Amino acid sequence: MQIDKNQLLRFTTAGSVDDGKSTLIGRLLYDSKSIFEDQIEAVENSSKKKGHEGVDLAMFTDGLKDEREQGITIDVAYRYFTTPKRKFIIADTPGHIQYTRNMVTGASTANAAIILIDARHGVIEQTKRHTFIASLLQIPHIIVCINKMDLVDYSEEVYNGIVGQFEEFSSKLLIKDVRYIPISALLGDNVVNRSENMKWYQGSPLLHELETLHISSDINKVDARFPVQTVLRPQREGFIDFRGYAGRVASGIFRPKDEVTILPSGFTSTIKAVHSDEGELEEAFAPMSVAITLEDDIDISRGDMIVKTNNQPEPKQDIDAMLCWLNTDEAKPRAKYTVMHTSNEQRAMIKEVVYKIDINTYNRNTEDKSLKMNDISRVKLRTTKPLMTDDYRENRNTGSIILIDESTNETVAAGMII
């Protein structure tokens, strides 16, 4: 199977507070030689000052100075690294219970989630919470890293026991692809290089899994959706009559001569050409940014969507969504919010909180109707004008929304359309 060297893999890391996430990412960066020498030198000096014997790998990721001093990681830290086989973006999210919203933020665009489990403790509540959020966000691939194997004498029995525990509860969730790797982030076993200490493990080390993960089939290639971000009218020589619609392909494939419908107006036309900064293209697919020109002159503006005539999303004003509340202030009853959906912006109101989910037990609470920070709830929204939506399970791009408080301009919630 050919892996595209320019293909970008986004992955998120999740685990309990001291499961070694920062050490794992540090080990990935250090052993794959993805760190600049001056960074290595700075961390080596810092490690010596603190009296560590070797290099404190966690320092490569705990970039915020005051965090380093306190020894904790908060917020979402993004790291970029490249190997000869692939480019990566890591969203390192905190493990604490009060940071559910950070995990939702970091994981919303991820192709894969690495869930860390301490081999001494096995599956704990945090593991279940993070796996539940990963399944809710429909992250296509989950890699369960059973860490600190060196502290349980690299025991195959302990590893198998934890795999069994994880499978028992994850079988109730919607997860397509789960892989398990026994590792020691501190000593480097099975992170970049194969472990000599676990000959019983026949699989690949973590980096090899990340480099060869097949992600092109995760993109929805069936439902063609092109949200228009802006209209291009360059008034210069050679482009006097040019009228292009620029945006990023959310899903599906667009080619010249395709019959398309513009929503919400319902006008139809044919694609004349697909333009990119490298010239005209035979086809465009997600997540490419392109400009489309049409055979007919139609009034199209930001927030409209170009779709295939024979495959259209359903325009909806009443929207069912799973909402994660991100704001420190709780939701105000029947307050008006701005809803952002692809490039479309409308006003909306939360009509009803149907139930809240206890993410420790997965139980639904239909009594409590408040929406506080980190709550995950099923809600009914009403928008002023229809949104062209798909089910989040089918299409993560056109199935997601965010809510913005009109008075403060803060993003207060992120939602997945059901």
Side-chain angles (χ1 to χ4, degrees):
M1 181 184 67
Q2 189 66 36
I3 296 284
D4 176 3
K5 285 190 174 63
N6 294 317
Q7 197 179 44
L8 176 68
L9 177 87
R10 294 170 183 268
F11 67 92
T12 180
T13 55
S16 186
V17 182
D18 292 316
D19 282 346
K21 286 200 314 298
S22 296
T23 305
L24 173 66
I25 296 168
R27 173 62 70 191
L28 260 179
L29 298 173
Y30 191 62
D31 283 7
S32 64
K33 307 199 171 25
S34 302
I35 305 172
F36 295 119
E37 279 175 19
D38 57 342
Q39 275 179 294
I40 294 179
E41 212 173 297
V43 168
E44 280 171 351
N45 294 338
S46 200
S47 300
K48 272 188 202 134
K49 267 188 212 155
K50 287 189 168 182
H52 294 301
E53 275 180 31
V55 177
D56 183 358
L57 295 163
M59 287 187 184
F60 289 122
T61 55
D62 292 349
L64 306 175
K65 202 154 183 276
D66 54 339
E67 270 187 27
R68 278 191 198 175
E69 282 156 15
Q70 292 174 44
I72 58 165
T73 314
I74 52 171
D75 215 336
V76 183
Y78 291 95
R79 305 276 160 231
Y80 303 85
F81 76 105
T82 306
T83 68
K85 292 187 182 159
R86 199 173 241 167
K87 295 176 181 160
F88 299 94
I89 295 179
I90 315 171
D92 181 18
T93 59
H96 312 61
I97 184 166
Q98 66 269 38
Y99 297 125
T100 301
R101 63 178 186 164
N102 302 69
M103 184 176 168
V104 169
T105 310
S108 57
T109 55
N111 306 97
I114 294 177
I115 292 183
L116 264 140
I117 297 177
D118 186 324
R120 298 167 302 171
H121 305 146
V123 171
I124 57 171
E125 240 173 45
Q126 285 283 59
T127 317
K128 293 182 180 179
R129 184 180 307 114
H130 291 142
T131 309
F132 173 70
I133 294 169
S135 79
L136 191 70
L137 290 165
Q138 296 287 305
I139 297 177
H141 309 278
I142 289 181
I143 301 172
V144 179
C145 286
I146 296 164
N147 190 21
K148 307 195 180 180
M149 288 298 291
D150 52 309
L151 301 181
V152 293
D153 299 328
Y154 299 105
S155 160
E156 185 179 4
E157 204 177 317
V158 169
Y159 168 77
N160 289 337
I162 293 171
V163 170
Q165 283 179 340
F166 191 91
E167 284 182 338
E168 190 185 332
F169 87 90
S170 67
S171 61
K172 305 181 190 92
L173 303 172
L174 285 166
I175 301 172
K176 295 174 193 157
D177 173 31
V178 185
R179 296 147 195 242
Y180 302 91
I181 307 176
I183 66 165
S184 165
L186 190 65
L187 303 176
D189 292 278
N190 284 336
V191 179
V192 171
N193 305 310
R194 283 187 88 70
S195 170
E196 288 299 308
N197 298 308
M198 290 179 275
K199 295 254 168 71
W200 47 264
Y201 170 70
Q202 297 300 307
S204 312
L206 174 62
L207 183 63
H208 183 265
E209 287 286 351
L210 292 170
E211 285 181 330
T212 56
L213 208 55
H214 185 60
I215 55 171
S216 49
S217 58
D218 300 337
I219 296 166
N220 179 329
K221 294 198 176 77
V222 179
D223 305 310
R225 309 282 185 259
F226 184 77
V228 175
Q229 285 183 9
T230 187
V231 180
L232 302 177
R233 301 290 309 272
Q235 297 300 316
R236 63 175 200 263
E237 209 177 317
F239 290 96
I240 297 302
D241 293 325
F242 185 91
R243 190 190 186 97
Y245 307 103
R248 176 183 272 185
V249 181
S251 58
I253 300 170
F254 290 89
R255 298 183 179 93
K257 299 196 174 73
D258 279 349
E259 271 187 44
V260 291
T261 297
I262 288 76
L263 296 176
S265 68
F267 287 121
T268 57
S269 185
T270 306
I271 294 180
K272 188 175 180 178
V274 178
H275 303 264
S276 77
D277 52 3
E278 290 165 12
E280 287 192 21
L281 303 173
E282 294 291 307
E283 60 177 31
F285 47 85
M288 290 166 70
S289 294
V290 296
I292 288 175
T293 52
L294 301 176
E295 294 289 1
D296 304 276
D297 202 1
I298 298 171
D299 183 18
I300 299 175
S301 54
R302 179 182 169 84
D304 290 354
M305 193 182 278
I306 298 174
V307 301
K308 295 271 184 77
T309 300
N310 58 2
N311 174 340
Q312 299 188 24
E314 200 183 329
K316 284 183 189 167
Q317 267 183 281
D318 288 298
I319 290 165
D320 256 337
M322 294 300 295
L323 216 57
C324 175
W325 198 258
L326 308 174
N327 203 274
T328 44
D329 297 334
E330 68 177 91
K332 301 170 192 76
R334 303 190 80 74
K336 298 277 194 307
Y337 295 98
T338 299
V339 61
M340 301 280 294
H341 172 260
T342 65
S343 58
N344 196 348
E345 208 172 299
Q346 301 293 344
R347 296 183 79 200
M349 180 176 77
I350 300 171
K351 270 177 41 180
E352 185 193 347
V353 176
V354 184
Y355 57 77
K356 271 166 69 162
I357 291 178
D358 180 332
I359 54 174
N360 298 322
T361 61
Y362 313 152
N363 289 341
R364 295 174 179 188
N365 180 346
T366 51
E367 305 296 309
D368 184 359
K369 300 292 184 184
S370 66
L371 285 180
K372 299 189 183 79
M373 189 164 79
N374 294 318
D375 281 348
I376 292 179
S377 316
R378 181 164 180 167
V379 301
K380 287 185 187 298
L381 298 168
R382 173 83 181 174
T383 61
T384 44
K385 287 184 183 158
L387 299 179
M388 283 68 78
T389 66
D390 291 297
D391 184 337
Y392 184 83
R393 266 194 312 218
E394 303 298 322
N395 202 332
R396 282 167 85 186
N397 284 327
T398 53
S400 51
I401 52 169
I402 58 171
L403 295 187
I404 294 168
D405 184 318
E406 294 184 344
S407 55
T408 62
N409 233 0
E410 286 178 3
T411 302
V412 293
M416 293 143 281
I417 295 165
I418 300 166

